[in-house]
Structure formats: structure tokens, C-alpha cells
Amino acid sequence: MKKVLLSLLVVSSFFKAQTSINVFSQIVFYDGYAANVSQPVPSNTIRLANSRYTRKLTDAELNSFQNKIQMNVTIGALCDNYDRIGGVHIALVPKGQASYTMSDAQVKRFEVGRYITPFMNKNVSPTQVPYSYDVDNLYPVFSNVALRTAYDIWVELDVFGVPYAANTQVAGCAGRNDVFAGTLTFVTFNDPTINNNFNTVMPLLDSSPLNNYNNTDVSGQTVRLVNFNLTQTAANPKFFIVTSPHGAGTNGEEYVRRQNFISLDNTQVLTFMPGGKSCEPYRMYNTQANGIYGSTPKTTAWWTAWNNWCPGDSVPIRSFSVASLSAGNHLLKYEVPDAEFFNQDGQIVLSMYMQSLSQNLSVKDVATTDVSIYPNPTTDYVTVKGQKKVKLMSVLSTDGRKLSETAESWADLTAYPTGTYMLDIILEGGIRFTHKVIKK
């Protein structure tokens, strides 16, 4: 009996030690395509856009965080009955700046959670969908004295909604432009088993779209290069990636599962294919009839054959780590070789940030470049096209032998046998990367 009482006391003490920090409560989002509405906002909250709100965390709130952090988001149905993308972002704002805009170049932000809303009818229960994220890695950010001396830490909540279909399809939504309501709360407590071994953060990309930037439906053209500079050696760096494909038309990117590849300094570090799970657990939140769920449950095999995400679910936060990165320039390459953006529609929304033991914030040196390497596979020529011109390009065998070299933006593989080759590409400005091509 004493052991039972002791256990109850421990559990009770555990729950009493929790602290909740409410950032937003039922804040209303409006038509993302319309001009900003003028409806009042809660105290200390700024409407950056109809689709995004921000609030600065106070020193008291930041000081109350402990090493275990759960982030809870709830999205409520209003007058949008379609699946939409939304997320949570941390914004580092120069110290003492009372407000900012989405285009403020001095603000450094990174995405810490993304979600897809379900097809909801505000007249049918349940009218809210919950999302939960373990974000223990934010504790070293919130408790970083040097970072807080230079920046205020703001939290942004967004969801891009459109009311046009609901205006005619949902009772009570005629003429309305409110689309969703959002709540965000952090729950934090101390967990002695957690080792938060990052002391800073380096934003790289925040909701940066990859799309048909060359106005084509040809695959093999979706490559994003992220060049960044470290002012000192980064010990045990860990990279966080949030990505999801979109495009709701026929053969749109959200309906086709594709391999994603990430390389760091020309070494492949992560390969994944989004989706691959059953969406049946989220059926209960999809209260508006729609073609994705239909009227009857579908098999796991049916769902996993095509889906990249589920309406009503969180988008996974992926990550990879390396032992260390030396001071100087480094290159991340993000690639979806088979992406087509059928009918020149859709996008892949990409966010990346890095945390490490020793890296100072150095975001001013981050530069992104989009390039196309096509056709791939090829029977003869491969063309490299992008925002920066080719300075030098070499064709290499898989064992690293240089077969040819050119200063043109295309390489001739006509004389080579079928197989796999590597292009060693140097762009104007000094960005250098390798890319695999296949000769048919």
C-alpha cells in the first residue's frame, strides 16, 4: 500500500510540475487571398496576414520553459471546408523591435511544426482537430542568453484558408470570409532523461516553395541548393527538415509519392518518400463529404499506394546529424528527381534549420539557388539551367575519373556507353556540387 501511495505522489508531483504557456486562443483566420481584414486582434498579438499571426514570448514565459516541451495546436472549423496547409514558426526579431512584417529582412524564422487541415463542416462534430509535436530542441533556443540578448523570440501561427466553396456548400457560411480558428499552447516540464545538447540555431529555409520554376512538366528539374557559411566549427550539428508536396489537380504532386534526396557537401545524408500511411485514423475529423475519403473505409494498401499526407494530420519533422562541420562554406542539396508539377501546377514547400553545440547565429551568409539538370535519363546531352550560369562542368565516371570538361551549360554524353555518370558542376559565384545522371 505504501508503494502505491508513493507512486501516486510521484505522479501527482509530476503533473503539478508542468507549466502551460498559451500563445493563441481561438484566433480567427480569414480569406488568405483577400486584403487584410481590420477586425481587432488580442492584446500583444499582430496580424501579419489574414493567414498568419504572431506574438512575442515574454521573458517570464521564456524563463518558465524546461527541457521537455510539447507543442499543441488546435484548428477549429469556420468557413473553409477544404484541406489546407498551416504551420508554427519561430521568429527571431532584433531586440526591442515592437513589430515587423513578413518581408522584414532582419527577421530570421524557422518552421517547427506543419499540419494539414481536414475537410471540415462547422455544423458537424467534431469541429476541431488537434496536432501535437515534441519540440524539446526548442529549450536551448528559449534559454539561450546570448540569443535572447540579440533577439526577441516571437511565435507565429498560420493556416492559409479560402472560404469560396464553403460560402455555397456549408450552411451559415454565405458571404463570410472567416476560415479557421487556431489555438497554440506549449506544455513544459523537466525530464532528467533528456539531454538538450544544442545551444543555438541557424535558420536556413522557411516555407520556401520549389515548383515549376522553369515552366515545364519535365521531370528531373527540381533541385534546390542551399549554400551557408559557418563562422566556426559546428560540433554535432543536427539538421531539421519539414517538407510536403502540394498540387491538387489531376496527377498533382500530393497524389504521387516520390523519392526525396538530401546531400550535404556532396555526400548523401537522407533519403525518404513522404506519406505511406493509412489516413483512416483521421476520417473522424473529415466531416465534409469529399472524394479523398469517400463514404466507406479504405484499405491501408489503397492509402499507401499514393498518399503523401493525410488531411487532419501533422507533417513529419525529419532530421539528420553529422559529427561536425568545419568553419567555412557548406552546401545542402535537396532534390526530388521525379517531380513533374503536372500542368505546371503545385509546389513542394521546404523548411530547414540547423542546431549545434557551438555555431553562432550566421544567417546572413545563407543563399539559395534553383537549378535544372535535364533530361535525366538522357540519350545524348544534359543541360544545366538555373539562376546562376555554369562556370565549369566535368563529366566523371562513377569511380571519379574525369572524362570531359566544358565551360558550356550542357554536357555531351553521346560517345559514352549506357550507365551512370557524375557531373561536377561549378556555378558562377563559386557554388560547386555533383549530380548523378543516367545515360540510356
Side-chain angles (χ1 to χ4, degrees), residues 159-418:
V159 55
F160 194 98
V162 181
Y164 313 141
N167 289 159
T168 59
Q169 296 173 2
V170 177
C173 282
R176 288 174 54 171
N177 69 342
D178 53 330
V179 289
F180 295 103
T183 297
L184 190 158
T185 301
F186 292 106
V187 177
T188 181
F189 57 90
N190 185 60
D191 184 342
T193 66
I194 294 176
N195 180 20
N196 295 107
N197 59 349
F198 308 114
N199 64 6
T200 192
V201 62
M202 181 172 168
L204 295 170
L205 294 177
D206 182 74
S207 298
S208 179
L210 288 77
N211 54 20
N212 53 315
Y213 40 76
N214 284 300
N215 202 34
T216 177
D217 295 338
V218 178
S219 62
Q221 302 197 36
T222 306
V223 180
R224 166 65 53 81
L225 304 176
V226 183
N227 185 263
F228 61 96
N229 183 277
L230 301 182
T231 57
Q232 64 185 93
T233 297
N236 302 114
K238 185 173 184 178
F239 292 81
F240 296 83
I241 299 97
V242 185
T243 181
S244 53
H246 301 272
T250 302
N251 296 322
E253 287 302 304
E254 63 193 60
Y255 301 134
V256 185
R257 300 187 65 212
R258 306 189 191 279
Q259 287 280 6
N260 289 233
F261 299 92
I262 301 177
S263 298
L264 176 62
D265 295 334
N266 293 318
T267 298
Q268 192 166 304
V269 289
L270 186 63
T271 303
F272 64 91
M273 184 179 288
K277 62 187 290 187
S278 172
C279 293
E280 287 303 320
Y282 308 97
R283 176 181 288 273
M284 62 180 290
Y285 300 113
N286 286 266
T287 55
Q288 169 73 32
N290 63 81
I292 293 178
Y293 279 87
S295 59
T296 58
K298 305 293 196 301
T299 65
T300 298
W302 185 86
W303 285 111
T304 58
W306 64 270
N307 78 307
N308 283 293
W309 39 259
C310 300
D313 189 18
S314 301
V315 173
I317 300 172
R318 296 178 171 86
S319 63
F320 68 89
S321 301
V322 294
S324 67
L325 284 179
S326 61
N329 285 312
H330 296 275
L331 186 69
L332 273 165
K333 183 172 76 165
Y334 185 91
E335 180 186 2
V336 189
D338 298 332
E340 293 183 10
F341 305 105
F342 190 76
N343 285 335
Q344 301 173 17
D345 179 37
Q347 60 185 353
I348 296 170
V349 182
L350 177 61
S351 292
M352 290 184 178
Y353 66 98
M354 185 191 86
Q355 288 185 273
S356 75
L357 280 171
S358 52
Q359 174 59 32
N360 291 328
L361 187 68
S362 180
V363 293
K364 64 181 180 180
D365 296 320
V366 175
T368 63
T369 303
D370 291 332
V371 295
S372 301
I373 299 105
Y374 65 96
N376 189 13
T378 182
T379 57
D380 42 37
Y381 295 90
V382 176
T383 298
V384 177
K385 181 180 179 183
Q387 297 156 315
K388 295 181 181 294
K389 293 182 179 180
V390 172
K391 184 177 180 181
L392 190 67
M393 176 164 48
S394 301
V395 178
L396 310 177
S397 64
T398 53
D399 61 2
R401 290 181 296 111
K402 183 185 291 187
L403 304 177
S404 66
E405 186 175 272
T406 180
E408 303 292 340
S409 60
W410 48 269
D412 185 359
L413 276 65
T414 306
Y416 304 137
T418 58

Side-chain angles (χ1 to χ4, degrees), residues 8-190:
L8 289 173
L9 286 172
V10 171
V11 171
S12 175
S13 174
F14 169 78
F15 281 106
K16 286 181 180 178
Q18 289 188 357
T19 299
S20 292
I21 298 101
N22 180 254
V23 183
F24 302 105
S25 294
Q26 292 293 307
I27 198 158
V28 177
F29 296 88
Y30 297 88
D31 180 0
Y33 288 121
N36 277 6
V37 299
S38 58
Q39 278 85 345
V41 297
S43 176
N44 301 319
T45 298
I46 295 174
R47 179 184 289 117
L48 295 172
N50 286 348
S51 58
R52 186 175 297 208
Y53 292 88
T54 186
R55 182 172 80 77
K56 183 175 74 173
L57 294 178
T58 66
D59 284 337
E61 288 172 329
L62 288 168
N63 292 338
S64 68
F65 279 98
Q66 301 182 73
N67 71 347
K68 180 66 180 177
I69 305 176
Q70 181 175 298
M71 184 174 72
N72 298 319
V73 175
T74 301
I75 299 298
L78 289 174
C79 287
D80 187 341
N81 57 338
Y82 272 70
D83 53 338
R84 309 296 184 185
I85 182 174
V88 181
H89 309 255
I90 302 299
L92 305 176
V93 182
K95 194 71 176 179
Q97 189 170 315
S99 64
Y100 65 95
T101 64
M102 286 293 294
S103 60
D104 191 333
Q106 300 302 310
V107 175
K108 315 303 178 185
R109 58 169 57 83
F110 56 101
E111 187 175 11
V112 294
R114 186 180 298 177
Y115 47 85
I116 310 294
T117 69
F119 293 80
M120 289 190 289
N121 184 321
K122 72 179 185 65
N123 304 306
V124 181
S125 183
T127 57
Q128 294 185 331
V129 56
Y131 308 89
S132 185
Y133 309 82
D134 288 324
V135 288
D136 304 339
N137 62 297
L138 291 183
Y139 175 69
V141 177
F142 293 162
S143 60
N144 187 320
V145 175
L147 189 67
R148 286 171 56 180
T149 299
Y151 296 94
D152 288 321
I153 298 176
W154 296 61
V155 179
E156 300 177 354
L157 179 67
D158 80 4
V159 55
F160 194 98
V162 181
Y164 313 141
N167 289 159
T168 59
Q169 296 173 2
V170 177
C173 282
R176 288 174 54 171
N177 69 342
D178 53 330
V179 289
F180 295 103
T183 297
L184 190 158
T185 301
F186 292 106
V187 177
T188 181
F189 57 90
N190 185 60

